[in-house]
Amino acid sequence: MTDKYLKRLVSVLNVLLDSKLMSVYVIGSLCTGDFSGEESDIDILAIVSRTLSENENVQLAEALNVNNLPCPTAGLDIVIITIEEATRLKAIPTYEFWYASGKNWPEQSWQRGANKEMLVFLELARCCGIKIYDSVEDVKPAMVPKTMIVKSFLEILAWHEVHILDSYHDPGGCNSVLNACRMLAFIKTNVFHSKTAGGHWFQKQYRSNKTVEKALKKKHDKKNEDCTETEIILFLQWIKEEIAKVNP
């Protein structure tokens, strides 16, 4: 089902973007080994040759909506970025289009903005992304220096701090806690981990942590106990302090 969806997705992008479309990568849980069917979303990074028009963005949002392109998983999260932004890195890269749609998600769409999280997306695509489309010209994102990754991680953790226990972004607290674990794991090992693998890595490297243990259990069975807001805040703060110590 996922393969068929990805083929349809690439077809839609080809029709709407035509010669602008250069590469499409699957990133996120599908490439880090933590994909769990209807529970997971599909994360996509697409690279285009030049800036998208407002009309192209509107057409993309309509065509990719879950009602028009039914997604067999929790939903679709796609970012489109130009080749210049992907290969000539800036501290805060600009994206052309960022869109999310799912069966139980609020539809969200952003046209042309800048965000440090793009650096993580680019490095994910470069290191372990699954390329599902490539034009004649071989396209690969530039290597993102660890100093830039650290700054991106700190911004993402700050974002998590204001979305703790959000039913959409952080059910039960597992996403904020396990994302923090895999960020620290990358900083220490230079390897991107899935949320689950990041949590297990943390438990092996540090003394067993009750917050991480609860997050791991919650991720794999929603009936398990939620993490509390207080323990998540304390854990994220500790992770931020550990990451900030890193001198790549």
Side-chain angles (χ1 to χ4, degrees):
M1 289 292 287
T2 303
D3 288 343
K4 289 182 179 179
Y5 175 78
L6 291 175
K7 288 179 180 178
R8 291 184 64 195
L9 173 66
V10 168
S11 177
V12 167
L13 295 176
N14 257 314
V15 168
L16 295 179
L17 301 177
D18 196 21
S19 61
K20 285 186 179 180
L21 186 63
M22 300 182 76
S23 287
V24 181
Y25 289 88
V26 175
I27 56 177
S29 59
L30 260 175
C31 71
T32 58
D34 209 14
F35 187 74
S36 58
E38 294 186 1
E39 297 264 328
S40 298
D41 61 350
I42 293 176
D43 298 288
I44 298 290
L45 175 71
I47 299 175
V48 292
S49 59
R50 55 193 183 278
T51 299
L52 302 185
S53 68
E54 182 177 347
N55 186 53
E56 285 172 323
N57 277 314
V58 171
Q59 289 180 329
L60 282 165
E62 181 178 356
L64 297 176
N65 183 279
V66 69
N67 294 317
N68 296 321
L69 185 66
C71 184
T73 68
L76 169 71
D77 194 346
I78 180 171
V79 169
I80 299 178
I81 192 167
T82 65
I83 183 63
E84 181 174 359
E85 295 291 321
T87 57
R88 298 181 182 179
L89 296 177
K90 298 189 301 189
I92 309 178
T94 299
Y95 59 86
E96 296 297 313
F97 178 76
W98 194 351
Y99 179 81
S101 178
K103 287 175 285 189
N104 300 309
W105 296 0
E107 181 183 26
Q108 295 180 295
S109 181
W110 302 269
Q111 295 185 23
R112 195 167 175 78
N115 193 300
K116 288 180 183 176
E117 194 169 358
M118 298 301 113
L119 296 166
V120 176
F121 295 162
L122 290 168
E123 188 63 7
L124 262 171
R126 189 191 70 83
C127 289
C128 54
I130 301 170
K131 188 180 288 188
I132 58 174
Y133 175 81
D134 203 4
S135 62
V136 175
E137 182 181 357
D138 187 36
V139 177
K140 192 171 186 178
M143 180 178 179
V144 182
K146 188 178 275 190
T147 50
M148 297 175 81
I149 293 288
V150 167
K151 292 177 181 178
S152 179
F153 280 168
L154 291 174
E155 184 169 286
I156 295 169
L157 287 169
W159 179 90
H160 270 302
E161 286 178 318
V162 296
H163 290 87
I164 290 172
L165 296 175
D166 181 302
S167 61
Y168 170 49
H169 295 104
D170 193 31
C174 61
N175 286 343
S176 56
V177 172
L178 298 181
N179 268 333
C181 288
R182 65 176 178 173
M183 289 178 197
L184 185 59
F186 177 83
I187 294 300
K188 298 288 188 180
T189 67
N190 294 316
V191 176
F192 279 110
H193 293 64
S194 67
K195 291 187 183 77
T196 301
H200 287 308
W201 174 89
F202 184 92
Q203 295 294 67
K204 288 180 181 179
Q205 297 299 315
Y206 300 85
R207 67 180 185 275
S208 186
N209 181 285
K210 290 184 179 179
T211 303
V212 176
E213 182 180 352
K214 285 165 71 174
L216 284 167
K217 289 180 178 178
K218 187 70 178 182
K219 177 168 176 55
H220 293 286
D221 188 343
K222 303 304 180 189
K223 296 178 183 178
N224 282 317
E225 180 184 5
D226 290 355
C227 297
T228 68
E229 182 175 3
T230 299
E231 66 184 334
I232 296 171
I233 290 172
L234 291 173
F235 184 73
L236 294 184
Q237 185 58 46
W238 183 84
I239 291 286
K240 285 171 65 178
E241 291 171 0
E242 288 298 299
I243 291 177
K245 292 176 185 176
V246 174
N247 182 23

